Amino acid sequence: MKKIKMFAGILAGLMLCAAAAGCGGGTGSGDKKAAEKKELIVGKNPSFAPFEFTDKKDGKVMGFDIDLINALAKKAGYEKVTVKSIAFDGLIPSLESGNIDVSITGMSITDERKKKVNFTDPYYESGLMAVVKKDNTAINGLDDLKGKTIAVQLGTTGAKYAETIEGAKVKTFDSSDLACLELKNGGADAVISDLPVLQYFLKQGGSQYAKSVGTPKKGDFYGIATAKKNKDMCDKLNKALAELKKDGEYQKIYDKWFKAE
């Protein structure tokens, strides 16, 4: 009788183990697939026209980056894109904390940023440009900005570059628009920002009081940033970007926003 009870106990234990193993298997590929994200949370600084900005008519965020990330998300299998407006210098911390999945907001790929985030392949080549008041004849290029007051957007490559100019007083603002407003109001001698952003600013009315000077400093490339721990998403977006370029969808989006250039 003791042997029968012992055998029954062992058998019950084996059945429990099997059940536990079965539950463990349930959290594998099947459940993992069911738990895959269908919503892409995107961090943006919507004051960087024409890449992302708020439409004055309906309050919607629009721009090249908006159209591109929507197309990429669809290609990568996401069902929904949710945009969160975040100050530019808060985007990388938001990625690191998991508050957002990706950031696409005219962010230049730099060695310093690559220490903190993963970048996709470049999706746009940019550069730096300076604008001054229309009646300014003393500043004719970036080399003439020594000792001048320069307005920049906080956390950008333009801000980094301005800090290297000898004797310059650098004023930082939350957006390129505010930096340009400082120029208009006489609080700065020049604005340094990304080439396409200032080109768009001039085209949209800024040329009434401002002008570009010198030769733009080319060679900045924009990338989509993901958290270091989220390399799979970076790979997925790279694949989608390659497909968009191959099937012509990327070119259509590009032409919509930059055809005149």
Side-chain angles (χ1 to χ4, degrees):
M1 181 66 70
K2 288 182 179 180
K3 289 183 178 180
I4 293 174
K5 288 181 178 180
M6 185 182 296
F7 178 75
I10 293 171
L11 184 60
L14 290 171
M15 290 176 67
L16 286 171
C17 287
C23 291
T27 59
S29 58
D31 286 353
K32 184 178 180 181
K33 186 175 182 180
E36 282 181 358
K37 282 176 63 65
K38 292 299 181 183
E39 179 183 16
L40 188 67
I41 311 297
V42 181
K44 290 189 155 297
N45 176 230
S47 55
F48 204 64
F51 293 91
E52 44 270 324
F53 59 98
T54 302
D55 189 347
K56 295 178 181 178
K57 294 180 181 178
D58 57 19
K60 291 183 179 179
V61 179
M62 59 191 300
F64 175 73
D65 283 350
I66 297 292
D67 288 352
L68 181 60
I69 197 62
N70 281 321
L72 288 169
K74 183 178 180 180
K75 186 75 74 174
Y78 292 96
E79 297 174 357
K80 182 181 179 181
V81 174
T82 298
V83 176
K84 289 188 176 183
S85 296
I86 299 170
F88 190 84
D89 61 336
L91 289 167
I92 289 179
S94 294
L95 284 169
E96 292 176 319
S97 67
N99 187 40
I100 57 176
D101 298 317
V102 302
S103 173
I104 175 172
T105 184
M107 186 179 289
S108 299
I109 301 171
T110 66
D111 290 337
E112 183 178 353
R113 288 173 179 157
K114 285 195 289 186
K115 294 175 183 177
K116 298 179 179 180
V117 297
N118 292 318
F119 278 106
T120 62
D121 295 332
Y123 69 88
Y124 186 91
E125 182 180 3
S126 182
L128 293 178
M129 177 177 172
V131 296
V132 299
K133 283 283 195 72
K134 285 186 78 169
D135 58 359
N136 188 319
T137 57
I139 300 174
N140 297 299
L142 293 170
D143 293 338
D144 296 327
L145 293 175
K146 293 179 181 179
K148 303 298 184 182
T149 300
I150 306 169
V152 298
Q153 183 176 354
L154 184 66
T156 61
T157 51
K160 286 285 185 184
Y161 183 82
E163 290 169 0
T164 68
I165 297 174
E166 182 182 343
K169 179 182 178 182
V170 181
K171 290 185 174 182
T172 58
F173 297 88
D174 287 336
S175 71
S176 182
D177 289 344
L178 290 175
C180 291
L181 184 61
E182 185 72 1
L183 173 70
K184 182 179 182 180
N185 293 335
D189 298 306
V191 173
I192 296 179
S193 190
D194 288 41
L195 171 63
V197 172
L198 290 181
Q199 285 177 329
Y200 188 82
F201 154 73
L202 292 172
K203 192 164 56 176
Q204 295 299 310
S207 60
Q208 292 178 8
Y209 67 88
K211 64 180 180 180
S212 62
V213 290
T215 303
K217 185 178 181 294
K218 297 282 282 182
D220 277 348
F221 293 90
Y222 293 165
I224 305 167
T226 68
K228 276 289 186 183
K229 60 186 177 183
N230 208 350
K231 188 177 182 301
D232 287 346
M233 181 171 289
C234 190
D235 293 340
K236 185 184 292 188
L237 290 173
N238 265 334
K239 182 181 178 183
L241 180 60
E243 291 175 1
L244 283 183
K245 288 183 176 181
K246 185 176 180 180
D247 65 20
E249 184 67 19
Y250 173 90
Q251 191 62 47
K252 289 179 182 178
I253 297 171
Y254 183 93
D255 288 345
K256 173 183 175 180
W257 293 100
F258 303 109
K259 190 174 182 179
E261 299 169 18

